[in-house]
């Protein structure tokens, strides 16, 4: 992921003099950190956590800070959220005896050190502290952890879903979708259409053409990548877990047998080997942890060596869902980018196979 504010220059089109973003062709990025602060402040401030008939009562006070970065990229109508933030809020609790006499009033903090789009399918870590470590203070702390954590995580889940829909630009995007299309045909529009068709024709002849097609709700990604190495070298890298760990900088477990299982990118991707032919073919069943239950995709990597020392890999990744279990409509784009930037380009950089 590119750092916020920098982006990847290969995929960002320079601004036009008139400021227009035609068809949202290039990235339209919106800073969502102020919106995120407002979202959590409204949803987590003065929130009743526990009210046990006057014996124990706990509530949040206010959100103390929301730090980090949060943004939404929109390209060609696709929403691509990104965020890495930390959250801290204060809470207060009171313990009373059976007669309603106050035994202790305590204050503390609840902290979520890391909320990230990359871990949107996992519950983030929640830390609860109290300023009073006595027996009653600890009881209030445990009650806050047991009862407050689920409520806070529910609000975090709401945030993840809201960001997937565009966050602060949701209303603007929905307005664009519902706006009537201009059907007036002009000479200028005709010329623009002709130029667009010509551009598409040129792009189709590019070496790294990426196609996305398939049944409704699913897409197929195809890529053709060239490497300065022998086909058997590329095959060994993709099937060796130690080399995977090397270029991906993440944990990997890979079986080299047909029917064997694999786990890569710290378990984010799992699957089974379907067909293996050394130096020629890798066919696997792939599944991402963020996908809905029961959904698997199929990966086929065909190795060709048109001349000694030059290998061309043709990737076909079929049945990729358009959305994950959280409604993020960026699965295809993220998967395509992952193959290109996190696998193929990393292999070129680490092993010196670039062309």
């Amino acid at each position: 992921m590119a750092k916020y504010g920098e982006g990847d220059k290969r995929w960002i089109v320079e601004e036009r003099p008139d400021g227009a973003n035609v068809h949202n062709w290039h990235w339209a990025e919106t800073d969502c950190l102020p919106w995120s602060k407002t979202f959590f402040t409204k949803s987590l401030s003065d929130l009743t956590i526990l009210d046990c008939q006057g014996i124990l009562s706990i509530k949040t006070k206010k959100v103390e800070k929301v730090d980090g970065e949060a943004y939404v990229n929109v390209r060609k109508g696709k929403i691509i959220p990104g965020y890495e933030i930390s959250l801290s809020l204060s809470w207060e609790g009171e313990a009373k005896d059976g007669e309603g006499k106050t035994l202790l009033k305590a204050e503390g903090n609840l902290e979520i050190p890391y909320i990230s789009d990359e871990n949107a399918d996992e519950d983030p870590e929640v830390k609860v502290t109290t300023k009073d470590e006595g027996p009653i203070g600890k009881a209030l702390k445990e009650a806050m952890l047991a009862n407050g954590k689920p409520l806070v995580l529910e609000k975090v889940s709401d945030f993840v879903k809201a960001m997937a829909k565009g966050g602060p630009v949701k209303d603007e995007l929905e307005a664009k979708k519902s706006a009537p299309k201009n059907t007036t045909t002009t000479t200028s529009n005709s010329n623009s259409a002709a130029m667009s068709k010509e551009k598409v024709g040129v792009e189709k002849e590019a070496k790294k053409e990426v196609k996305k097609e398939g049944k409704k709700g699913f897409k197929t990604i195809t890529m053709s990548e060239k490497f300065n190495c022998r086909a058997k070298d590329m095959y060994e890298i993709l099937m060796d877990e130690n080399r995977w760990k090397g270029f991906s900088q993440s944990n990997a477990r890979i079986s080299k047998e047909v029917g064997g299982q694999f786990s890569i990118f710290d378990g984010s991707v799992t699957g089974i080997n379907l067909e293996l032919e050394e130096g020629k073919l890798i066919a696997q069943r792939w599944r991402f942890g963020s996908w809905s239950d029961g959904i698997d995709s199929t990966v086929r990597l065909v190795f060709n060596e048109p001349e000694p020392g030059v290998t061309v890999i043709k990737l076909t990744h079929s049945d990729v869902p358009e959305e994950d279990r959280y409604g993020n409509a960026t699965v295809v784009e993220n998967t395509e980018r992952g193959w290109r930037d996190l696998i193929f380009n990393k292999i070129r950089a680490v092993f010196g196979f670039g062309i």
Side-chain angles (χ1 to χ4, degrees), residues 193-319:
M195 291 175 66
S196 296
K197 289 180 180 179
E198 181 179 352
K199 181 177 180 180
V200 170
V202 172
E203 289 176 345
K204 284 185 177 180
E205 295 177 0
K207 292 181 180 180
K208 293 183 180 180
E209 177 187 8
V210 179
K211 299 178 181 177
K212 299 172 187 175
E213 54 191 7
K215 58 187 179 182
K216 187 175 180 181
F218 297 85
K219 298 291 184 181
T220 295
I221 299 171
T222 65
M223 303 175 71
S224 180
E225 299 284 328
K226 187 180 289 186
F227 299 86
N228 188 18
C229 65
R230 302 300 299 267
K232 65 180 184 65
D233 296 329
M234 281 298 300
Y235 179 92
E236 290 174 359
I237 289 172
L238 292 169
M239 291 302 299
D240 183 83
E241 61 185 44
N242 290 321
R243 297 186 188 185
W244 256 98
K245 293 175 183 177
F247 75 76
S248 70
Q249 294 297 296
S250 62
N251 291 323
R253 296 183 64 184
I254 302 174
S255 169
K256 296 183 179 181
E257 303 294 329
V258 173
Q261 299 181 354
F262 66 88
S263 172
I264 54 178
F265 294 116
D266 292 326
S268 295
V269 179
T270 56
I272 299 174
N273 297 324
L274 301 177
E275 297 178 64
L276 297 174
E277 190 173 353
E278 186 173 0
K280 295 183 178 180
L281 172 67
I282 296 175
Q284 298 172 321
R285 185 80 67 192
W286 273 45
R287 170 174 169 75
F288 289 73
S290 59
W291 292 0
S292 298
D293 294 341
I295 293 182
D296 296 289
S297 62
T298 301
V299 166
R300 289 185 66 85
L301 293 162
V302 178
F303 301 76
N304 291 308
E305 196 169 334
E307 58 183 279
V310 176
T311 296
V312 176
I313 295 181
K314 293 185 177 180
L315 162 72
T316 304
H317 194 163
S318 57
D319 294 331

Side-chain angles (χ1 to χ4, degrees), residues 21 31 38 71 106 127 153 158 177 205 216 225 288 291 305 311 323 333 351-352:
N21 182 6
D31 180 9
T38 301
Y71 54 87
K127 299 178 180 180
L153 290 180
D158 291 342
K177 288 181 180 180
E205 295 177 0
K216 187 175 180 181
E225 299 284 328
F288 289 73
W291 292 0
E305 196 169 334
T311 296
E323 294 185 352
E333 285 74 13
F351 297 99

